Amino acid sequence: AAALGRGSGRPGSGGIRGGAAMDLFGDLRRMNKRQLYYQVLNFAMIVSSALMIWKGLIVVTGSESPIVVVLSGSMEPAFHRGDLLFLTNFHDDPIRAGEIVVFKVEGRDIPIVHRVIKVHEKGNGNIKFLTKGDNNEVDDRGLYKEGQNWLEKKDVVGRARGFLPYVGMVTIIMNDYPKFKYALLAVMGAYVLLKRES
């Protein structure tokens, strides 16, 4: 009987089917205003804490996006689709050939993760460089904006310093299936709002 789940034995709960939905609405109705405000504030604290951690990572790493997910197979075998990359972007560090950078080009919304293959350093300290995906046949000049043959430091979002394999697949699934994303967010929001303090 314990395995059937909470509320499955209540009269009028609809048994297993629909029982969870009825429990959810029943819990909401039984909550007084003070409990509801408390849960909403609790949810707001979780969201604001996550935002503060993200902003803190931006300050510490110097990168506008300290964590990114690899979306394509152009860097295989170094990185695979779904790998989570940790980035830094300290402007004093020189860019060197062989380094893996994440860069943004004008006209493209999604940053690209590729390896630096050539660097041109001028006497005044300006650096221009060329990138290429390890799994690609040609360099990235076809990806840059029209007439652009080299990248500059201003185009760099960050440089790969570490990674976790395949952890970012959840992000890819949520982007590929928006309904799954909204369902997951709704379940998480409902859990935080209805969670009882023990």
Side-chain angles (χ1 to χ4, degrees), residues 6 23-29 31 36 39 188-197:
R6 190 178 144 209
D23 280 350
L24 179 73
F25 292 120
D27 283 349
L28 277 175
R29 270 187 260 128
M31 255 188 205
L36 186 62
Q39 296 299 57
M188 288 170 57
Y191 172 75
V192 170
L193 286 174
L194 297 174
K195 185 182 77 169
R196 299 289 170 101
E197 293 294 321

Side-chain angles (χ1 to χ4, degrees), residues 33-88:
K33 285 183 181 178
R34 174 178 259 168
Q35 286 175 318
L36 186 62
Y37 291 149
Y38 175 78
Q39 296 299 57
V40 169
L41 283 173
N42 197 17
F43 182 71
M45 279 182 21
I46 291 169
V47 170
S48 61
S49 296
L51 288 172
M52 287 190 313
I53 290 168
W54 183 255
K55 291 294 184 183
L57 281 173
I58 289 171
V59 170
V60 169
T61 62
S63 173
E64 66 187 66
S65 263
I67 300 170
V68 296
V69 175
V70 178
L71 298 177
S72 73
S74 65
M75 277 302 293
E76 290 179 1
F79 299 123
H80 294 84
R81 190 170 191 254
D83 288 355
L84 194 71
L85 300 184
F86 301 99
L87 310 178
T88 63

Side-chain angles (χ1 to χ4, degrees), residues 85-105:
L85 300 184
F86 301 99
L87 310 178
T88 63
N89 194 22
F90 303 118
H91 291 286
D92 295 340
D93 291 349
I95 292 175
R96 298 290 177 228
E99 187 174 18
I100 296 170
V101 296
V102 178
F103 61 92
K104 238 182 193 177
V105 291

Side-chain angles (χ1 to χ4, degrees), residues 54-194:
W54 183 255
K55 291 294 184 183
L57 281 173
I58 289 171
V59 170
V60 169
T61 62
S63 173
E64 66 187 66
S65 263
I67 300 170
V68 296
V69 175
V70 178
L71 298 177
S72 73
S74 65
M75 277 302 293
E76 290 179 1
F79 299 123
H80 294 84
R81 190 170 191 254
D83 288 355
L84 194 71
L85 300 184
F86 301 99
L87 310 178
T88 63
N89 194 22
F90 303 118
H91 291 286
D92 295 340
D93 291 349
I95 292 175
R96 298 290 177 228
E99 187 174 18
I100 296 170
V101 296
V102 178
F103 61 92
K104 238 182 193 177
V105 291
E106 199 176 304
R108 290 183 181 269
D109 295 330
I110 299 173
I112 299 167
V113 180
H114 280 175
R115 191 179 302 275
V116 176
I117 57 169
K118 287 183 186 174
V119 177
H120 287 286
E121 195 167 348
K122 295 183 178 177
N124 62 2
N126 285 349
I127 294 174
K128 293 189 174 192
F129 56 94
L130 180 64
T131 56
K132 176 186 171 297
D134 290 356
N135 202 22
N136 292 349
E137 296 293 323
V138 295
D139 62 44
D140 291 342
R141 286 188 173 119
L143 297 175
Y144 303 160
K145 73 176 182 181
E146 194 174 333
Q148 183 180 13
N149 290 321
W150 302 91
L151 293 175
E152 298 176 19
K153 267 192 167 183
K154 67 178 176 58
D155 300 314
V156 175
V157 173
R159 306 163 196 208
R161 299 299 184 205
F163 77 102
L164 285 174
Y166 303 111
V167 174
M169 284 307 288
V170 175
T171 304
I172 291 174
I173 290 167
M174 287 197 302
N175 283 338
D176 290 350
Y177 305 101
K179 287 180 183 175
F180 174 74
K181 174 171 62 176
Y182 297 128
L184 185 64
L185 289 173
V187 167
M188 288 170 57
Y191 172 75
V192 170
L193 286 174
L194 297 174

